[in-house]
């Protein structure tokens, strides 16, 4: 299931109407920092392959 251009434009218009054009850059920045911290947290939870190999030996 793919998102068409028309659907993407409708979502963009709805976001602009709800949040206003001044809030869009702030939302983008918050979303980016959230994704970055999520990835960082996932990397911290994953054990390194080297540590796994040492435990198996």
């Amino acid at each position: 299931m793919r998102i068409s251009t028309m659907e993407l434009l409708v979502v963009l218009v709805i976001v602009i109407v709800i949040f206003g054009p001044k809030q869009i850059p702030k939302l983008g920045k918050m979303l980016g920092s959230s994704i970055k911290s999520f990835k960082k947290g996932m990397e911290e939870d994953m054990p390194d392959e080297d540590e796994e190999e040492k435990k198996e030996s």
Side-chain angles (χ1 to χ4, degrees):
M1 201 165 136
R2 297 181 186 258
I3 298 175
S4 70
T5 306
M6 193 59 146
E7 292 170 340
L8 191 60
L9 288 174
V10 170
V11 170
L12 182 62
V13 168
I14 291 171
V15 168
I16 290 174
V17 168
I18 291 174
F19 295 107
K22 292 182 181 179
Q23 297 296 324
I24 300 297
K26 291 179 185 177
L27 289 172
K29 185 177 180 179
M30 289 183 346
L31 180 64
S33 64
S34 298
I35 292 172
K36 184 177 179 181
S37 63
F38 177 76
K39 286 182 180 180
K40 184 178 178 183
M42 290 297 293
E43 289 175 359
E44 290 175 356
D45 289 342
M46 301 284 292
D48 291 337
E49 292 179 10
D50 295 336
E51 291 177 11
E52 289 179 5
E53 291 174 1
K54 290 177 184 177
K55 289 180 183 178
E56 292 175 0
S57 298

